[in-house]
Amino acid sequence: MPDERKKILEVHHLKQYFNVGKKDEVRAVDDVSFDIYEGETFGLVGESGSGKTTAGRSIIHLYEPTDGQIIFNGKDVSKLHTKAEMHEFRREIQMIFQDPYASLNPRMKVKDIVAEGIDIHGLAKDDADRTKQVEDLLETVGLNKDHSSRYPHEFSGGQRQRIGIARALAVEPKFIIADEPISALDVSIQAQVVNLMKELQEKQGLTYLFIAHDLSMVKYISDRIGVMHYGKILEIGPADEVYTHPLHAYTKSLISAVPVPDPEFERNRKQVTYDASREHDDKQRRMVEIAPGHFVRASEDEVEMYTKRAQEAGLVTDFPHS
Amino acid sequence: MENPENVIEVRNLQIDFHTYAGEVKAIRDVSFDLRKGETLAIVGESGSGKSVTTRSLMGLLAPNAVIKGGSIMFHDEDIIKKSEKDMQHIRGKDIAMIFQDPMTSLDPTMRIGLQIAEPLMKHKGLKKKEAVAQALEMLKLVGITNPEGRINDYPYQFSGGMRQRIVIAIALVCYPEVLIADEPTTALDVTIQAQILDLMKDLQNRIDTSIIFITHDLGVVAGMADRVAVMYAGKIVEYGTVDEIFFNPQHPYTWGLLNSMPTLDTEGGSLSAIPGTPPDLLDPPVGDAFAARSDYAMKIDTEQEPPFFKVSDTHYAATWLLHPDAPKVTPPAEIVRRQKKFAAMEKPEPPIKHVTKE
Ligand SMILES: Nc1ncnc2c1ncn2[C@@H]1O[C@H](COP(=O)(O)OP(=O)(O)O)[C@@H](O)[C@H]1O
Ligand SMILES: Nc1ncnc2c1ncn2[C@@H]1O[C@H](COP(=O)(O)OP(=O)(O)O)[C@@H](O)[C@H]1O
Ligand SMILES: [Mg+2]
Ligand SMILES: [Mg+2]
């Protein structure tokens, strides 16, 4: 069944290498492909160093890709030539960062931080309009206008993240890349921020690329999940399915490591370890659709094993893979 | 010591910080025991006082801290009354500590073998050669591959997870009676975290040390703790065995913490976040400090501080909800689910009474 939804982002065979040709060459992103549909949340998970941040930065075109293509709203990001096109692109995609403190200028008042994009893109008619917009944004993220003359250090971690979200929303983006936005927050505050992001998505039709290493929260906020390991995506599928019926051994190990707030479960925990060396044979691997919408990076001879696994999990009855 | 089973007894600890804005009342009457061989977890949001409490056990409080009252008994002596010189003999030998960021405990300019050997030379009077030989054994124990080849490496040559293993080796090399672990895995990836937690459990069995484990992650607590103390705004609000806290919690703050975590089967909808933020400890609220954020607050919560009510011999909670005159309330659905599980769990059998016929 072809998917009728509109693709807002297409990443085709993206490669982002650093120090190419040198001894210390890093293949931070190595042949990664995925699509993100309008209005959905795509969760990108993986351990630190797996290339998640680099993928996000490549998408907003902070780097010239080593190879591959990034299509945003039907346009190739590498081919945005005119200033106006670039300007529009920079407005439509915004980023939220892990450390809300490091990403907020400590010497700027909250109102000027939030209005940064409004100023750059000339989105306010006059001063009064700017103030009004900032106050509305603060209210949207659960802060109030009394906060606007304060400095970032006067806020808690969760509140700072709200300021970061208000700043991103100020330019009315379509697409937000949230790079570990809750990793530095307490569990109880994580839930506040996740709920806020979900609520904003429903109200404003936003699309998210949500980057994280905490699988339990990602599963909760995402429609689909991609699992990254050493620069490669190993599995992509519907969030619930990837979480409850992971097909790739690495995904299994990642999920088995998530601590569960249940002592009975923990007493019987079975840790699955993953041996990365199996990736280093000389076999060609590509993303194969094992169950509908559920892809695994596999060599030709692994396809049968994954299909069997998917059948046993009840994900496929007689789904013909290509 | 009140109880010979205890390694540490903290009573009515009260700590303030002098700041330009006034006195921060960081620890407000905290009491707890650490039993021999157990892992006691202290959980709570940032700023609740977990680190300050445990730093006071090490005599490592910031210069602007004032201990206003209380005692910390260790070996029948009050740590609070000890001089810095005395503490240097205890620290690293009897009580050791590991922190969230391994680099705060490692000397970047010193080979790791020597760093592990140092406490042995300092506290046990070992010669360098013997100490380094034991350091090598310790490196093996904490799972550093090729320990012979790496003993002369520097900290920067290791990954974050490996560095935390080295910190654990330093902390445990003198076989301390007490290990304090302050968010030791918070900065690590989940897979590395799982390995470090397994390592800590394994070493606890071998070395027979008692652990105070600090974290804000209830998932980690569930896997590590024998007993749990829940902290809020400078106080312990509930404590009990790990099963009692996770399956029969009584304080609305404990409910809120458990409820804000997605469980294995949380679907769509919205997560139950705890609204608002913890109170300002410059001017702590009267009564139950959690009242302002609680759906279950009653009038008395804003007037009078709740005492500890007994739930079982091992389980106490400071909430007016447990007062005999309090109205019956229904906890959040997730908590009801947990309490049902508790009711069905196997509990130690009550002693059998032999009835003899007349
Ligand atoms: N500008 C850069 N120059 C060289 N190496 C880099 C650069 N940025 C990232 N890397 C490397 O690329 C890999 C992926 O990093 P990153 O994308 O930050 O991972 P993640 O966000 O998943 O933790 C790491 O090995 C990292 O050290
Ligand atoms: N040196 C200090 N000066 C002033 N306040 C401090 C100092 N150290 C800690 N505090 C305050 O004491 C309280 C408890 O802090 P802490 O024990 O670090 O919390 P936790 O470890 O639970 O996150 C917080 O309100 C914190 O701001
Ligand atoms: Mg990153
Ligand atoms: Mg702390």
Side-chain angles (χ1 to χ4, degrees):
Chain A
M1 186 180 70
D3 207 312
E4 302 291 335
R5 291 173 302 167
K6 179 174 175 249
K7 287 175 186 168
I8 191 166
L9 178 77
E10 297 166 55
V11 176
H12 296 303
H13 301 288
L14 177 68
K15 290 183 184 168
Q16 194 71 63
Y17 297 176
F18 296 108
N19 313 328
V20 177
K22 303 212 185 89
K23 218 171 52 211
D24 55 351
E25 181 176 291
V26 181
R27 303 189 166 187
V29 175
D30 196 9
D31 192 15
V32 156
S33 302
F34 60 93
D35 300 328
I36 300 184
Y37 298 99
E38 198 160 58
E40 81 165 343
T41 299
F42 185 84
L44 192 58
V45 294
E47 289 169 272
S48 49
S50 58
K52 307 179 297 293
T53 295
T54 303
R57 293 170 71 98
S58 303
I59 290 168
I60 57 171
H61 206 55
L62 284 179
Y63 306 125
E64 193 58 48
T66 309
D67 199 8
Q69 244 189 342
I70 292 159
I71 316 268
F72 181 72
N73 251 335
K75 284 190 195 138
D76 188 330
V77 171
S78 296
K79 298 194 176 115
L80 302 175
H81 292 307
T82 71
K83 224 174 152 184
E85 276 178 327
M86 212 51 217
H87 214 65
E88 175 74 357
F89 175 72
R90 292 247 181 265
R91 191 181 67 70
E92 287 185 329
I93 300 195
Q94 292 293 313
M95 261 188 112
I96 302 172
F97 302 91
Q98 166 170 2
D99 183 348
Y101 201 55
S103 67
L104 304 177
N105 184 338
R107 276 185 281 270
M108 274 165 80
K109 287 185 175 158
V110 165
K111 63 179 168 201
D112 298 318
I113 292 173
V114 172
E116 226 168 49
I118 298 178
D119 298 340
I120 291 170
H121 295 280
L123 301 177
K125 288 198 291 285
D126 49 36
D127 265 4
D129 182 34
R130 180 182 187 264
T131 304
K132 170 89 172 53
Q133 286 191 33
V134 168
E135 288 178 1
D136 288 351
L137 285 160
L138 289 177
E139 198 187 311
T140 306
V141 298
L143 297 169
N144 63 54
K145 61 174 181 237
D146 300 338
H147 289 128
S148 65
S149 304
R150 298 197 196 162
Y151 291 92
H153 74 261
E154 297 175 61
F155 295 87
S156 67
Q159 286 174 320
R160 283 178 206 147
Q161 199 52 283
R162 289 174 192 270
I163 297 168
I165 294 173
R167 172 177 62 183
L169 292 177
V171 296
E172 297 180 6
K174 289 199 170 83
F175 185 83
I176 291 182
I177 299 177
D179 190 358
E180 310 229 21
I182 57 171
S183 302
L185 304 177
D186 272 353
V187 181
S188 59
I189 307 298
Q190 286 183 5
Q192 286 184 6
V193 172
V194 165
N195 282 345
L196 172 65
M197 287 185 66
K198 277 195 136 184
E199 196 186 298
L200 292 171
Q201 179 168 48
E202 275 157 34
K203 282 195 192 136
Q204 311 193 3
L206 293 165
T207 307
Y208 293 136
L209 171 59
F210 192 99
I211 296 174
H213 65 262
D214 179 338
L215 262 151
S216 54
M217 273 296 179
V218 168
K219 175 217 147 197
Y220 172 75
I221 194 174
S222 307
D223 299 290
R224 291 186 305 129
I225 290 179
V227 179
M228 226 174 149
H229 186 56
Y230 285 122
K232 297 193 161 66
I233 289 190
L234 300 183
E235 182 160 5
I236 293 180
D240 284 344
E241 207 173 289
V242 170
Y243 197 79
T244 37
H245 302 293
L247 295 176
H248 198 285
Y250 177 68
T251 315
K252 284 181 198 236
S253 81
L254 209 53
I255 290 166
S256 78
V258 175
V260 178
D262 181 322
E264 211 172 45
F265 181 93
E266 287 292 328
R267 283 192 282 266
N268 304 314
R269 143 186 309 280
K270 282 209 183 59
Q271 179 81 29
V272 184
T273 49
Y274 175 65
D275 178 10
S277 64
R278 38 164 281 177
E279 298 288 307
H280 301 298
D281 51 21
D282 287 328
K283 286 178 189 162
Q284 288 286 317
R285 288 189 170 79
R286 62 189 176 97
M287 294 305 281
V288 183
E289 191 170 15
I290 300 291
H294 195 149
F295 298 79
V296 179
R297 188 179 164 84
S299 60
E300 282 314 318
D301 56 332
E302 287 166 343
V303 170
E304 197 185 313
M305 164 192 74
Y306 285 125
T307 307
K308 206 160 152 250
R309 238 176 239 181
Q311 278 165 346
E312 280 162 8
L315 306 182
V316 248
T317 38
D318 53 358
F319 181 72
H321 49 77
S322 50
Chain B
M1 304 292 256
E2 290 169 24
N3 182 339
E5 293 289 296
N6 292 339
V7 202
I8 287 181
E9 286 174 358
V10 176
R11 291 294 173 271
N12 307 103
L13 188 64
Q14 227 179 310
I15 300 173
D16 286 5
F17 286 100
H18 285 305
T19 69
Y20 69 93
E23 301 279 301
V24 175
K25 294 163 195 75
I27 305 302
R28 306 187 299 138
D29 194 10
V30 160
S31 302
F32 64 90
D33 299 333
L34 180 67
R35 310 247 161 84
K36 279 200 181 91
E38 79 168 348
T39 298
L40 170 72
I42 304 183
V43 286
E45 282 167 286
S46 317
S48 57
K50 308 181 293 293
S51 295
V52 172
T53 302
T54 45
R55 290 184 80 95
S56 69
L57 306 188
M58 295 282 283
L60 281 178
L61 289 171
N64 63 331
V66 192
I67 300 184
K68 302 285 267 203
S71 60
I72 301 171
M73 300 307 285
F74 176 65
H75 286 177
D76 288 317
E77 289 184 278
D78 190 348
I79 281 185
I80 290 174
K81 300 206 176 100
K82 289 203 175 288
S83 66
E84 168 58 21
K85 203 164 151 250
D86 289 338
M87 284 315 294
Q88 283 181 6
H89 289 295
I90 294 177
R91 228 181 276 141
K93 177 167 153 277
D94 301 316
I95 308 180
M97 189 152 182
I98 52 184
F99 299 95
Q100 176 171 339
D101 178 2
M103 283 318 264
T104 57
S105 335
L106 293 172
D107 180 343
T109 66
M110 199 168 156
R111 300 179 193 280
I112 59 144
L114 211 53
Q115 294 195 50
I116 301 172
E118 205 174 37
L120 291 171
M121 298 191 277
K122 186 173 162 199
H123 296 300
K124 308 251 152 146
L126 260 63
K127 297 257 162 41
K128 189 172 164 185
K129 211 174 149 196
E130 293 167 286
V132 170
Q134 282 197 28
L136 181 65
E137 287 310 305
M138 211 59 211
L139 269 186
K140 283 183 194 156
L141 209 57
V142 299
I144 302 281
T145 39
N146 182 21
E148 289 88 355
R150 305 221 57 182
I151 191 163
N152 289 321
D153 283 355
Y154 292 95
Y156 76 89
Q157 292 169 289
F158 294 85
S159 68
M162 287 299 149
R163 279 181 205 149
Q164 200 59 296
R165 285 175 193 262
I166 294 163
V167 171
I168 291 173
I170 297 171
L172 295 181
V173 73
C174 290
Y175 284 47
E177 279 185 75
V178 178
L179 175 67
I180 299 172
D182 191 349
E183 312 247 7
T185 58
T186 303
L188 303 174
D189 280 319
V190 282
T191 47
I192 310 295
Q193 164 170 284
Q195 292 165 11
I196 297 288
L197 295 178
D198 279 348
L199 173 69
M200 288 183 66
K201 280 191 260 193
D202 179 48
L203 291 178
Q204 181 176 31
N205 287 337
R206 287 169 194 248
I207 292 178
D208 192 30
T209 181
S210 313
I211 299 181
I212 299 181
F213 195 103
I214 299 181
T215 175
H216 68 266
D217 187 335
L218 286 168
V220 172
V221 175
M224 289 300 286
D226 299 303
R227 291 192 310 126
V228 183
V230 182
M231 267 193 102
Y232 187 75
K235 286 177 176 294
I236 290 177
V237 297
E238 180 163 6
Y239 62 95
T241 66
V242 69
D243 283 347
E244 286 168 334
I245 296 299
F246 280 84
F247 295 124
N248 193 28
Q250 300 295 324
H251 197 288
Y253 179 61
T254 316
W255 293 351
L257 277 184
L258 285 166
N259 212 16
S260 58
M261 296 204 65
T263 54
L264 286 173
D265 32 50
T266 305
E267 295 280 343
S270 96
L271 285 171
S272 316
I274 302 176
T277 46
D280 185 352
L281 294 177
L282 276 169
D283 184 20
V286 179
D288 185 332
F290 186 60
R293 301 170 73 188
S294 172
D295 291 340
Y296 298 89
M298 302 176 287
K299 187 156 167 288
I300 191 169
D301 282 313
T302 58
E303 293 166 349
Q304 215 178 320
E305 195 180 314
F308 273 109
F309 290 92
K310 180 173 171 173
V311 185
S312 80
D313 283 345
T314 46
H315 185 188
Y316 290 80
T319 165
W320 285 117
L321 290 177
L322 290 173
H323 190 277
D325 297 341
K328 285 279 157 283
V329 298
T330 309
E334 165 65 14
I335 303 303
V336 172
R337 182 187 74 78
R338 286 173 179 266
Q339 289 177 341
K340 277 195 186 129
K341 201 163 167 179
F342 188 73
M345 276 169 90
E346 269 181 47
K347 298 211 195 46
E349 298 201 0
I352 301 159
K353 284 203 187 98
H354 291 282
V355 189
T356 44
K357 276 184 187 157
E358 298 281 295

